[in-house]
Amino acid sequence: MRQITKWGKALGIGVLAGSVLAGCAANEDGGNAANGSGNGTASDGETKNVTLRFSWWGSEARHKAVLEAIDLYMEQNPNVTIEPEYGGFDGYYQKLVTQLSGHTAPDLTPLSADWIDDIAVKGNLVLDLYTLKDQINLEAFDQSFLEKYVVYDGKMIGLPMGVNGMVTAYNKDFLQKYGIPEDTQWDWNTIHDIGQQVHQQDSSVYLLGTLDFRTFLQPYMSQKTGNQWINDDKTIGFTEADLTEAFAYYKSLFDDGVMQPAAESSLYSEPAKNVLFQKGGIGLAFSLASALPQMKTYVPSLDVASYPIAADAKTSGVLVVPANPLAINKDTKYPEEAAKFASWLLTAPESAAILRDNFSVPPAAANAQSLADQNLIDPTVAKAVQTALQDPGDPINGVSNNQEIAKLVNDYMQQVAFGQSAPDKAAKELIERMKDKLASLQ
Amino acid sequence: MTAGRSWPATLFLSLFGLAFIYPLLWLVAASLKPNADVFTTIGLIPSHIEWSSYKQGWVGIGRVTFTQFFLNTVKLVVPVVALTALSSAVVAYGFARFRFPLKKTLFSLMIATLMLPDAVIMIPRYILYRNFGWLNSYWPFYIPALLAVHAFFIFLLVQFFRGIPRELDEAAEIDGCGSFRTLTRVLLPLCVPALISVCIFQFIWTWNEFFNTLIYINSVSKFPVALGLRMVLDNEGAVNWNQVLAMCVVTIVPCVAVFFAAQKHFVEGIATTGLKG
Amino acid sequence: MSKQAATATTMTTKLMSSSRSRKRSRQYVGLLYISPWLIGFLVLTLFPFIMSFYYSFTDYSMIKAPAFVGLANYIDIFTKNPDFANSLKVTFLYVLMAVPGKLLFALLMALALNIGIRGIGVFRTIYYIPSILGGSIAVSVLWRFLFTREGLVNTLLGYVSLGPVDWLGSPKLALFTISLLPIWEFGSSMVLFLAGLKQVPKELYEAARVDGASRVRTFFRVTLPLLSPVILFNLIMQMINAFQQFTAAFVITGGGPVKSTNLYGLLMYENAFHYFKMGYASALSWILFIIIMAFTFVLFRTSDRWTHYEDGGDGR
């Protein structure tokens, strides 16, 4: 119980700001100077009227906040009209690509991590923001964070909208009920053993609900091998034996009652939607910080700990991502205005005060700090980001983010989960099919 | 049929009908239940009625309410229905009453389009509409309706026209009606039931259409209700299932209402036209 | 109707006193009337149809221009993609459950309604309502609520100490559960059958009764043959729809669990609009097209043997 909530709230953000986003905390008012949001710094912008289309996905709360921020920006910049286009996440990618192909895509859109390779790197459809650095308050961001997560081949494909990371979210009541200490250092062994015990105590509950490629297999293998899932040279980052072992471990989670049977959980795409989780019958979930508020609506006593790291891990494998980099469409007629708006949205203190933690913790450390000081950020989210940042894994490379490969992996995980494929068979077939896919990616 | 034989049948049909309609009744009931009861109670009477699910659901997404979604749907559906009825009747008239070169071939082609998987032409169509500059507008819906792309309706009306004695329009022509006047004065009044079924079918299909609207309509402010509902559904934050159910009800009601309003014509329409197929 | 009947009578009377001498060449008039459809067909159907055939031999991501790859897409589909075989299997199973199930239900209910009970209109309406909501997402959402583990059906089963059954979570049951949705929507087919039954001349039944034929025999010898054209029409249209089914599986299970509901429509959608492999998806769509054509052809070919047209058939 060292990690008291208050500590997470106040100090957690301090650590975050101090360690990872170091060197920019003092730069708070740099934001106003560079982004021309207010007082006539953008002299040529004042005269011509500009309409920018800005599209995003998310929850109702996020929509409300972004719309409010847009209003404020338009008030400060009467010549700029921002047309909002927003919706849910399902189908967003499909729409975006059809729009990009039809040259009707919005001027600004966030990119989910797994689209970056297709859209930004191979597709080359978004602007390199380094070319717009006069319009963007880059100093507000941590340079190494930018370079690590949003710069590909020397091009900055977007501005991080927040700092997001993977953690173990746990239901405090559940742990208490089954006598599991809250400060348990989760690793793959403890998960299996404790999970098995819990299910033996009470057959209606499980330690874990669902796992997938991102929340389990990718980090698990990366801990095991120290490699990317797919190496940069498009070879597979592990051996068949490694994968067989991982699948066997995964299977043992089902066989030993650690995980809810797949037939009961396969319908739910996210932990928060799993009814058993909502009812408190599931103890843990591996989740990105940004998804925690939704989980908390069901399980108020939610807290977070580090993502499981094996004792002999070659790398932590803990996923840290720049909550959907905000990219500017290459087709935009007003790259400067779009960049100014993006910069304002993500660095201006008044924007941060509106957006709060709707895109996880704000990317500009100074804003994160001041929101934390004012208690405007969900303390669990803040603590989660801080926890993930303590030992971040290597950023996932482009090819490992390939959607088709992720889908394949998830398909084979399901086969193992449903007992339709033995671990060795699944490993063999999956590797074969990934090789086929990789060959076609050239 | 004696009364004695029909009452067990009536009872059976009633029970069976109740079973079939129960899910829909439950949908309505659950939309009025408190959120916590949605999954846990099967009864049709809520413990207490929560209109708030409708009120909150109606608020929609961001700043676009269901009022807007409904207005959009009307803007989308009404012209599509009117254009479909008009164009299908005209084309069906052409096929049913005139001889022209390649008629048999063209008719077969038209029937063949009934069997064409939409997916085959979806992609090239999208590119075509993009080239015409119709994306994010309702033109991708209006124009196909104007050009009678739904072969089903033409077919339906051709079948209906064939059932009307040819002598009727010949008589009208003898009276000095042009072919178009023959259509409007003689044939159309006779095929009102068929036209109404065309309208209702097209109304319901367009009302429920979501795949094409998803592809072609980008701005939330132009979303029809089906997309609005989908958004409420997919919304990451959508945790209030009774709101989702309430908006399901709201989406369904116009279809059911139109069906009830025109039911008699409707059933007559299909009964007469669907038959000879 | 009476007004229309009156018009009809007047017209017929006029006809009696006239000659048929005014035959004109109406060729171009006819073409003029069908021109909206003809333009639509050429521009919005035929041209895209040809283009998709062309795309099926290309690698086309929508982002870049199509690049000709010969038969590569087809070869990959048939030799390297187990998902294709799976989706084909799943789709056939779906068609085999949903189409006969729906038609059988529709026919039985039409027969039941046709025995002349009171309030037939009410029943017809009740049974019809589900089918008007067919394509709506609302219905798919409802289905999920009904059959999810915590859903209504399991709650009901719980009252008789059964279950819970993973209707949608089990790979063995999910497809079946989804096939129940079109069966639930049997109303539109039923109305067609009802109309068909109404057209069976009463004299035929009388004759059969005089001959002492049993009710079962009458059904098979009189009703069914006369209904056969309607059955054929229903069968073909339902089959074509079923092969392309998408929305229900997409909204309810998303193709899972373990691809057990990954209908062909979902496979195409995934390739076209998820991975934007438009060339590949076009090849898939052409394979489906050929399958549907083959089935339709077989049905038509064999239908001569089992359908009966009163008027000798104006066979389409």
Side-chain angles (χ1 to χ4, degrees), chain A residues 93-94 97-98 101 123 125 263-264 266-268 275 279 403-404 407 411 414-415 418 420 433 436-437, chain C residues 62-63 80-83 144 148-150 166 169 171 252 257-259 269-270 273-277:
Chain A
Y93 176 71
Q94 286 77 333
V97 174
T98 21
S101 78
L125 294 170
E264 293 172 25
S266 67
L267 217 51
Y268 310 114
V275 176
K279 287 180 183 160
Q403 296 188 76
E404 258 183 289
K407 183 83 196 320
D411 287 348
Q414 266 210 344
Q415 292 197 11
F418 278 93
Q420 292 195 342
R433 291 195 63 191
D436 274 352
K437 275 280 128 46
Chain C
M62 299 241 347
I63 292 173
K80 285 189 180 164
N81 191 349
D83 294 343
R144 223 184 124 122
T148 185
R149 193 176 163 81
E150 298 75 18
D166 286 305
I252 299 172
V258 215
K259 303 225 165 199
Y269 171 84
E270 187 188 5
F273 288 97
H274 213 90
Y275 304 135
F276 291 93
K277 292 158 68 174

Side-chain angles (χ1 to χ4, degrees), chain C residues 209-232:
Chain C
R209 211 165 56 194
V210 170
D211 288 350
S214 70
R215 297 228 325 257
V216 175
R217 201 177 147 82
T218 312
F219 171 73
F220 281 107
R221 285 305 173 86
V222 180
T223 316
L224 208 55
L226 287 174
L227 218 49
S228 56
V230 193
I231 296 177
L232 178 70

Side-chain angles (χ1 to χ4, degrees), chain A residues 103-149:
Chain A
H103 302 282
T104 57
D107 299 291
L108 297 123
T109 174
L111 299 175
S112 177
D114 46 349
W115 314 339
I116 290 173
D117 196 40
D118 283 329
I119 291 182
V121 181
K122 280 193 286 172
N124 197 19
L125 294 170
V126 301
L127 287 174
D128 172 10
L129 298 185
Y130 279 137
T131 64
L132 291 164
K133 54 174 177 275
D134 295 343
Q135 279 75 32
I136 300 172
N137 176 18
L138 284 178
E139 292 75 38
F141 299 92
D142 176 68
Q143 298 311 304
S144 69
F145 186 80
L146 291 180
E147 274 158 32
K148 233 171 151 181
Y149 293 105

Side-chain angles (χ1 to χ4, degrees), chain B residues 1 13 20 125 173 263, chain C residues 26 44 115 125 127 145 184:
Chain B
M1 311 287 158
L13 287 170
F20 260 79
R125 258 192 200 175
E173 287 201 20
Q263 202 216 126
Chain C
R26 310 205 290 182
L44 300 182
I115 63 170
T125 307
Y127 292 136
F145 272 68
W184 183 61

Side-chain angles (χ1 to χ4, degrees), chain A residues 14 35-36 93 173 192 195 202 204 266 268 275 287 338 374 382 412 417 422 442:
Chain A
N35 65 27
Y93 176 71
D173 299 339
H192 177 270
D202 180 349
S204 68
S266 67
Y268 310 114
V275 176
S287 170
Q374 297 169 62
Y412 278 90
Q442 298 311 323

Side-chain angles (χ1 to χ4, degrees), chain A residues 147-170:
Chain A
E147 274 158 32
K148 233 171 151 181
Y149 293 105
V150 294
V151 176
Y152 290 79
D153 305 334
K155 292 181 195 164
M156 192 190 299
I157 54 98
L159 290 176
M161 297 190 81
V163 185
N164 210 349
M166 184 84 73
V167 287
T168 304
Y170 59 87

